[in-house]
Amino acid sequence: MLVVLGGGIGGLSAAHYLVKKNNVNAKILLVEGTNYLGGWIKSIVHNDKGVIFETGPRTIRPTGYQGANTLTLIEELNLTDKVKPILKSHPAAKNRFIYTNKKLHPLPSSLKSLFFTHPPFHKPLILSVFKDLLTPRKKVPDESLYSFVERRLGKDIADYAISPMVCGICAGDAKEISVRFLMASLFEAEQEHGSIIKGLLKNMFNKSSSKPAIKGILSERAKVEKWSVWTMDGGLQTLPDKLSSKIADNGVDILLNEKCTSLRFIDDSVQCRIGSKDIHARHVISSISANGLANLLGDDHKFLSKELSLIDFVTVGVVNLAYNGEILKQNGFGFLVPPFEGLPILGIIFDSCCTQQNGKTVLTVMMGGRWFNKYFGENPSKEKLLDTAISQVKNILLIDEQPVLSNCVILKDCIPQYVIGHHDRVKRIQSYIDDKKLPLSLVGSSYNGVGLNDVILLSRTAVDKITF
């Protein structure tokens, strides 16, 4: 018996890769505590209105080893015809904004723009390159992303580019998030070569240490056609839906509305308490959150439980709004808000600029994150979040109309925070598992990346390391 805990994209991907590798025909059981498979990915389709609301992720990047791996998974699932690319020439790819000083400001998007001053930046961005080249190396084990960028590239970049970007990636505070984890290549460039620019230039000419490229039909298409991001026809939920149906067709037993309440490692096996039954597994793949896993370990592995519990998470409120007509004054992906503005929102995504929504303007307002309790308290009503979202849309985007459709969800503890020291914490966690020879693999977003590409690749890598 092989057990997968959690039916989000990490658990579903792990089950898929287990099916491919399972050369001993061991029984595979996937356990999900809710009645829904897909985790934070959820598409709400209003067929009568021609509108799709995404309450979680909505697009995926095609670039890099991780991006190519996900596109290969899409091919394995026979979903190629469902892929909807958004090209680099599209306004949603070219136009991204930040909201500060009571205005929307487009972020520079071309090489030429680096040589001119674009508000809210106070000087041409090219000067940041010279600052990096002239700033001495600082040898540190880790540093906050904000501190790193402020020191090497200047306060302008830290305030108006990095801080809002971190809000968009992990709903977190750049003054807490680890540069070593979220932007490892920049950190390593300084540590090894003394400068971001020098390190990046040297890496451009030294590809020997990089992973071999994954070549597939879709990844080659993405390069040739110059995709920026991609989504799926019918919403991104198409991906976990297909994964869940395929693993079921391949013999994976899926148990919904049941939670694992304890794990006991006995010799070379794991005793999983699921509901009122004990199930013995030769290996467990956990895709549940790190703090959820910590609660299952009891007193037998206190060190591991404590390290897992120290990985923090934040709550995000998501409000989807649909308005009649195409009423946005700007085309683009959307905008983010620097934390120092003191607003309750992280940003607003212009969904109808990315994908057609039957002539309607569809927006997604992201709220709270690291500052959720500050602005909304411990247990706010959805009505409070909805009213706040509509008010912010009115104030910032000057949309006075009332939405014709809306949806509000509170995603409790949905995004892990890779704070300073996260790299070493994950290393200690994995070393403990390896040293104790525990038949346990860790996947999901708690450890090595919050993006869908990162989560899917971690599942594949974890399965590759399991010996049957």
Side-chain angles (χ1 to χ4, degrees):
M1 170 78 74
L2 303 166
V3 173
V4 178
L5 300 180
I9 194 66
L12 292 172
S13 300
H16 169 79
Y17 292 122
L18 276 177
V19 167
K20 290 183 63 179
K21 181 178 179 175
N22 187 12
N23 50 24
V24 296
N25 295 317
K27 188 176 181 180
I28 301 171
L29 173 66
L30 184 145
V31 183
E32 166 56 39
T34 72
N35 64 356
Y36 174 73
L37 293 171
W40 301 116
I41 302 175
K42 191 172 184 64
S43 308
I44 301 174
V45 182
H46 296 274
N47 287 317
D48 57 331
K49 303 289 186 180
V51 167
I52 297 177
F53 286 157
E54 298 280 11
T55 66
R58 67 211 58 234
T59 58
I60 303 177
R61 292 189 179 277
T63 53
Y65 188 84
Q66 294 95 326
N69 179 70
T70 300
L71 290 173
T72 299
L73 174 63
I74 294 297
E75 293 176 22
E76 293 173 0
L77 298 173
N78 296 317
L79 285 175
T80 300
D81 62 337
K82 295 289 186 179
V83 172
K84 296 175 65 175
I86 298 168
L87 307 184
K88 291 181 179 179
S89 58
H90 193 282
K94 294 195 299 183
N95 302 329
R96 294 171 184 261
F97 303 88
I98 59 169
Y99 180 75
T100 185
N101 302 323
K102 297 183 178 181
K103 289 183 180 179
L104 280 179
H105 299 275
L107 288 171
S109 59
S110 67
L111 183 62
K112 181 180 178 181
S113 65
L114 300 180
F115 294 88
F116 299 92
T117 300
H118 297 274
F121 300 100
H122 298 96
K123 59 185 73 171
L125 296 186
I126 191 65
L127 296 181
S128 297
V129 172
F130 296 107
K131 177 173 174 57
D132 173 64
L133 292 171
L134 295 173
T135 298
R137 170 170 41 195
K138 181 180 179 181
K139 278 285 190 180
V140 290
D142 201 356
E143 186 176 3
S144 80
L145 185 53
Y146 184 94
S147 171
F148 175 85
V149 171
E150 181 184 33
R151 181 170 55 79
R152 297 219 62 87
L153 300 175
K155 185 173 172 57
D156 259 13
I157 305 292
D159 280 340
Y160 298 117
I162 295 302
S163 285
M165 181 196 71
V166 170
C167 289
I169 293 174
C170 63
D173 187 345
K175 294 181 179 179
E176 300 172 348
I177 298 298
S178 162
V179 65
R180 186 176 181 182
F181 217 96
L182 201 59
M183 290 191 174
S185 61
L186 303 188
F187 175 80
E188 290 165 1
E190 180 190 29
Q191 296 302 303
E192 295 176 14
H193 305 289
S195 145
I196 296 173
I197 304 302
K198 290 177 183 176
L200 294 180
L201 288 174
K202 288 182 180 179
N203 288 337
M204 284 176 59
F205 298 103
N206 181 19
K207 299 294 183 180
S208 58
S209 61
S210 62
K211 294 180 179 179
I214 298 176
K215 292 187 177 180
I217 296 172
L218 279 178
S219 58
E220 289 303 308
R221 262 190 62 195
K223 292 176 185 176
V224 172
E225 297 173 8
K226 297 182 179 179
W227 297 5
S228 173
V229 293
W230 58 273
T231 185
M232 306 211 75
D233 188 29
L236 204 56
Q237 188 181 324
T238 302
L239 172 54
D241 284 352
K242 182 66 174 182
L243 266 173
S244 57
S245 64
K246 184 163 185 181
I247 62 173
D249 290 344
N250 283 299
V252 175
D253 291 330
I254 299 174
L255 190 59
L256 299 178
N257 293 310
E258 290 283 7
K259 291 184 178 181
C260 178
T261 54
S262 73
L263 294 175
R264 290 191 62 207
F265 298 95
I266 304 170
D267 297 326
D268 295 329
S269 65
V270 192
Q271 179 180 292
C272 311
R273 185 72 173 177
I274 299 173
S276 59
K277 296 180 180 179
D278 287 329
I279 294 176
H280 291 270
R282 66 169 66 185
H283 200 97
V284 169
I285 298 178
S286 174
S287 74
I288 63 177
S289 67
N291 46 31
L293 177 59
N295 293 331
L296 306 184
L297 299 177
D299 294 333
D300 293 340
H301 299 279
K302 289 183 178 179
F303 175 85
L304 179 58
S305 179
K306 181 179 179 181
E307 290 286 3
L308 289 166
S309 68
L310 290 173
I311 297 175
D312 197 16
F313 288 73
V314 297
T315 296
V316 177
V318 177
V319 177
N320 307 105
L321 303 170
Y323 298 84
N324 278 328
E326 298 178 357
I327 55 177
L328 275 175
K329 295 178 175 61
Q330 301 92 354
N331 282 326
F333 188 82
F335 69 86
L336 294 167
V337 182
F340 64 76
E341 287 292 335
L343 295 182
I345 66 171
L346 302 166
I348 298 180
I349 300 169
F350 303 166
D351 295 290
S352 48
C353 288
C354 297
T355 56
Q356 290 298 311
Q357 300 271 3
N358 198 31
K360 292 182 172 57
T361 295
V362 177
L363 309 172
T364 299
V365 186
M366 303 176 297
M367 317 176 75
R370 179 65 179 81
W371 305 271
F372 190 89
N373 287 353
K374 174 182 177 181
Y375 293 114
F376 300 106
E378 290 284 345
N379 190 29
S381 67
K382 291 183 179 180
E383 288 75 18
K384 179 178 180 179
L385 269 69
L386 178 60
D387 290 344
T388 301
I390 293 173
S391 173
Q392 293 295 322
V393 167
K394 180 178 180 179
N395 292 339
I396 297 173
L397 298 177
L398 306 178
I399 296 176
D400 292 324
E401 292 87 344
Q402 287 297 304
V404 294
L405 281 173
S406 65
N407 181 70
C408 179
V409 293
I410 297 174
L411 306 179
K412 178 70 174 173
D413 295 336
C414 63
I415 306 180
Q417 300 296 283
Y418 296 168
V419 298
I420 298 170
H422 183 79
H423 178 276
D424 288 339
R425 172 161 291 115
V426 171
K427 189 175 180 180
R428 289 193 299 272
I429 288 169
Q430 191 58 55
S431 293
Y432 183 93
I433 293 171
D434 294 342
D435 292 344
K436 299 290 184 182
K437 295 183 170 57
L438 301 182
L440 173 66
S441 297
L442 306 182
V443 301
S445 63
S446 296
Y447 312 104
N448 290 296
V450 298
L452 294 183
N453 287 332
D454 302 307
V455 171
I456 292 168
L457 181 60
L458 180 59
S459 291
R460 196 195 88 182
T461 304
V463 171
D464 286 345
K465 292 179 180 177
I466 297 173
T467 55
F468 293 113

